[in-house]
Amino acid sequence: VIVTQFPLWYNLIQLLKKQFGYKIIFDVLDNFSDFDNVSIAVNEYEQKLALLSDICVCTSDKLASKITKYNSNIEIIKNGTEFNLFNKPVKNEILKNIGKPIIGYYGALEYWFDVELIDYIARKRPHYSFILIGHINTDVQKLEDLPNVFLLGEKYYLDLPKYLYWFDVCIIPFKICELIACTNPVKFYEY
């Protein structure tokens, strides 16, 4: 059995299925065609991989709806989390010098991250602290000038519960777009 998640592996998966008769599970995690850093051929390979697969596992209803055009054997399995890691964050001092309440986010700060929304909220609530953790690959300059917004960069995954311990409110400030409509964010379950 081969479990694959990225459509551009199609040629190798097809070869292995043909040569060895492997069963194929296509784990459809995202709407790959909406990422701005993948080949435009990803749509074609996604369709071919779905057709080739014995089963497609989708993380959201919207992804399943899209994939069902190419494969009727679909299971929807929503994301989850490492429960024991996130269930009871341990008391720590990591954000002790940040004023409360703390509004927190961790994850990628990419083109789908709503910088305008954070800018608006942070200006409306100057006594709230906004902690943003993650790799930054979008223009956040307007946030850098706000004294109540803290861009902490990427953090080690096992350390995320230490930050989560301090969050009074957890947010997922994503722009509404097709990519996001197809997601089932893991961070929702971690929060």
Side-chain angles (χ1 to χ4, degrees), residues 50-64:
L51 286 165
L52 179 71
S53 297
D54 296 284
I55 187 170
C56 295
V57 176
C58 299
T59 58
S60 74
D61 296 332
K62 184 122 178 157
L63 284 175

Side-chain angles (χ1 to χ4, degrees), residues 104-139:
Y105 166 83
Y106 57 76
L109 281 79
E110 291 278 349
Y111 68 90
W112 60 79
F113 182 86
D114 200 336
V115 173
E116 298 295 325
L117 177 64
I118 298 301
D119 178 59
Y120 175 81
I121 297 170
R123 289 179 189 278
K124 289 287 188 185
R125 297 290 185 258
H127 300 321
Y128 291 20
S129 296
F130 293 82
I131 301 294
L132 306 177
I133 297 170
H135 176 74
I136 300 170
N137 193 32
T138 194
D139 183 6

Side-chain angles (χ1 to χ4, degrees), residues 24 28 41 131 140 157 178:
I24 309 299
V28 187
I131 301 294
V140 295
Y157 180 74
E178 190 63 20

Side-chain angles (χ1 to χ4, degrees), residues 16-142:
L16 292 171
K17 182 168 183 141
K18 185 176 183 180
Q19 283 188 343
F20 302 105
Y22 290 143
K23 298 289 184 187
I24 309 299
I25 300 172
F26 182 14
D27 187 9
V28 187
L29 302 170
D30 282 302
N31 194 26
F32 298 104
S33 60
D34 283 327
F35 283 99
D36 64 357
N37 62 347
V38 295
S39 163
I40 58 173
V42 76
N43 271 337
E44 176 186 346
Y45 285 115
E46 182 180 60
Q47 294 167 14
K48 287 181 177 181
L49 187 54
L51 286 165
L52 179 71
S53 297
D54 296 284
I55 187 170
C56 295
V57 176
C58 299
T59 58
S60 74
D61 296 332
K62 184 122 178 157
L63 284 175
S65 175
K66 177 184 174 186
I67 294 297
T68 197
K69 298 172 192 167
Y70 312 105
N71 191 319
S72 61
N73 193 13
I74 294 176
E75 289 295 328
I76 299 171
I77 302 176
K78 306 280 180 159
N79 286 323
T81 188
E82 294 185 51
F83 183 78
N84 290 333
L85 179 62
F86 289 93
N87 183 41
K88 294 181 182 172
V90 177
K91 185 174 181 176
N92 64 79
E93 305 281 315
I94 208 159
L95 295 177
K96 71 178 180 177
N97 295 323
I98 303 291
K100 294 269 230 167
I102 294 176
I103 313 303
Y105 166 83
Y106 57 76
L109 281 79
E110 291 278 349
Y111 68 90
W112 60 79
F113 182 86
D114 200 336
V115 173
E116 298 295 325
L117 177 64
I118 298 301
D119 178 59
Y120 175 81
I121 297 170
R123 289 179 189 278
K124 289 287 188 185
R125 297 290 185 258
H127 300 321
Y128 291 20
S129 296
F130 293 82
I131 301 294
L132 306 177
I133 297 170
H135 176 74
I136 300 170
N137 193 32
T138 194
D139 183 6
V140 295
Q141 185 175 1
K142 60 175 46 178

